[in-house]
Amino acid sequence: MSDESLLDFATAQAVLTSESVQAHAAELHGVLTGLIAAGYEFESTDYLAMINDMFNNGEGLPLEAKSLVKQLYSQIWQTLLDDSYGFKLMLPDDDDTIAERAAGLGHWVQGFNLGFGLQQKDTPVASDDVKEVLSDFGEIANLSDEIDDDEATEQAYYEIAEYVKVSVLLCFSELGSAPDTQNKPILH
């Protein structure tokens, strides 16, 4: 999957804002990623009802927002299953301030922990490594809003974002399940 075909943060946030859905695109992406990394089955479709409950007060999402959620869901699956490790966090881009990017990362990890918890609530199965990741994500979500706009902060942001990305791949490799393609009929 090429980078050009991936939805970006600005596009996703614009759709949510234009449809009056009170959601942060990074958090939405994090929730969907958390569900998938915790073992959510590809074929299941109740993620839409969960998103409605979390981000739209239980009301149906507007058509364009619903389409966005479906695209994100598909994109996350494709990039997590990609052998070239194409998975990326959906965060504000480098043109945004470090404060906006750090806030986006905080929203993303909060969303991830929420989605992960929803999927694992009935059958919590996690190694010590995964438990440590979830704990670390909780700490990342609570980082101070008052950050310096300097090179050291930029470097720390990139290192934390990379840690989060690698941690997602660890969680998915341990708990995620690839789509069941063996029992599907082949269409000619």
Side-chain angles (χ1 to χ4, degrees), residues 60-80:
L61 288 171
L63 190 57
E64 198 171 340
K66 188 176 188 177
S67 176
L68 170 72
V69 171
K70 288 179 177 180
Q71 281 181 276
L72 287 175
Y73 181 77
S74 175
Q75 177 178 303
I76 293 164
W77 271 106
Q78 289 174 359
T79 58
L80 283 173

Side-chain angles (χ1 to χ4, degrees), residues 87-102:
F87 175 76
K88 290 185 167 86
L89 307 176
M90 180 174 277
L91 299 171
D93 69 23
D94 292 344
D95 294 338
D96 292 313
T97 68
I98 187 66
E100 291 170 316
R101 289 181 282 147

Side-chain angles (χ1 to χ4, degrees), residues 11 16 24 26 31 41 44 54 61 76 107 118 148 182 184:
T11 302
L16 294 171
H24 194 279
V31 167
E41 293 183 17
S44 187
M54 282 186 266
L61 288 171
I76 293 164
H107 286 296
L118 286 170
D148 296 326
Q182 292 182 344
K184 302 282 184 222

